[in-house]
Amino acid sequence: MKKFFGLLMSFVLVLSLVSSAVSAKPKEKNDIFEDKSMHVQIVLFDGFDLLDALAPYEVFAAAGMYSGGAVTVELVSAEGKRSVPSGMNGPALEAQAALDPNRSGIILVPGASGKPAGNSEDAIANILRQANETGLPDMMKRAFENKNITVATVCGGSLLLAMDGLLKDRHAVTNQIGMAALGALGAIPVNARVVEDGPRFVSGGGVTSGLDVALYLVERELGPQIANAVERLFEYERRGTVWHAEGIAPIDFKTSQKASKEEQPAVVP
């Protein structure tokens, strides 16, 4: 009887250990995102593009709602609290505070809204140039030096940072009309909708890619369930594969074909 009782207790002990291990598995999967929180600063400057700024703002705000406040987001400017006019004679938005490059989290820089070419005051290039002459580049330089900050850009935001040499030798993307300029400013242009250069710099292409940049960052920081909830709320699915400088590089057939033609010997008559 004692032997039977001993075997029974051993069996119960094994069952309790197994059930504990099984119940622990789902928790292990969620542990990666437990206690995650992030603060997002979206930078405004005179002539900024409304959609570049507001599309990510709504994504982050919705993520904060679904996560019970794990995400907070605010509009900031280099000058501090002020009314900031958008481009194309659009409405102004109120910057709630000064950009803080010492605060951990995400800093997102939008592009400009204006004429895509020309040298008028309301041309995109001149709007970005004016923003580059403020205190913003120095603040963003400090942000890049802060290991607890991820810098993100939408559309011409990457051009604005590249103007001050902040994207030298970094992989990045901007609106297609500015890709050549991005390369000329020292960045490495990548033809993708969203590009991640290491974990601390993420850039998006054209205006609507702000949705994709923000959704990617929400998924990266808080997990796919929150990102999916935001997608369902907006009835929008994130577009494009996020490009990383890893894995097998694809063959550039244009380059290889050109090289093969050059290698062919000349025909001697």
Side-chain angles (χ1 to χ4, degrees), residues 29-38 59-60 62-64 66-67 70-71 214-232 238:
K29 291 179 181 179
N30 293 327
D31 279 348
I32 302 172
F33 304 107
E34 275 185 2
D35 302 322
K36 274 278 192 178
S37 63
M38 66 176 181
V59 170
F60 291 125
Y66 279 119
S67 63
V71 182
L215 282 166
Y216 170 67
L217 290 170
V218 167
E219 180 181 10
R220 193 186 80 174
E221 299 298 322
L222 300 179
Q225 295 185 51
I226 298 297
N228 178 256
V230 177
E231 285 186 339
R232 286 187 286 109
R238 197 178 83 209

Side-chain angles (χ1 to χ4, degrees), residues 265-269:
V267 178
V268 180

Side-chain angles (χ1 to χ4, degrees), residues 59-234:
V59 170
F60 291 125
M65 175 182 67
Y66 279 119
S67 63
V71 182
T72 52
V73 57
E74 65 177 341
L75 301 174
V76 299
S77 79
E79 298 78 17
K81 183 177 175 63
R82 71 182 181 98
S83 178
V84 187
S86 62
M88 300 288 286
N89 296 316
L93 294 182
E94 186 74 17
Q96 300 156 292
L99 170 62
D100 185 356
N102 298 313
R103 184 169 185 175
S104 61
I106 295 169
I107 296 177
L108 185 143
V109 181
S113 179
K115 294 176 181 176
N119 196 35
S120 61
E121 187 178 348
D122 58 350
I124 290 175
N126 283 329
I127 295 173
L128 294 176
R129 192 174 295 111
Q130 290 169 12
N132 188 56
E133 293 172 354
T134 67
L136 181 57
D138 287 339
M139 290 180 170
M140 292 308 301
K141 183 177 184 296
R142 288 163 55 194
F144 272 113
E145 293 169 351
N146 188 335
K147 294 181 180 179
N148 296 315
I149 288 178
T150 294
V151 174
T153 62
V154 179
C155 200
S158 55
L159 286 170
L160 175 54
L161 299 184
M163 282 179 175
D164 211 55
L166 298 179
L167 299 189
K168 183 173 174 54
D169 298 328
R170 291 181 182 270
H171 299 93
V173 65
T174 186
N175 190 295
Q176 289 298 310
I177 62 175
M179 290 290 275
L182 186 64
L185 291 168
I188 305 172
V190 177
N191 189 17
R193 188 165 176 82
V194 179
V195 174
E196 183 175 73
D197 182 88
R200 295 188 47 241
F201 177 59
V202 179
S203 57
V207 179
T208 57
S209 67
L211 288 165
D212 306 291
V213 168
L215 282 166
Y216 170 67
L217 290 170
V218 167
E219 180 181 10
R220 193 186 80 174
E221 299 298 322
L222 300 179
Q225 295 185 51
I226 298 297
N228 178 256
V230 177
E231 285 186 339
R232 286 187 286 109
L233 176 67
F234 291 176

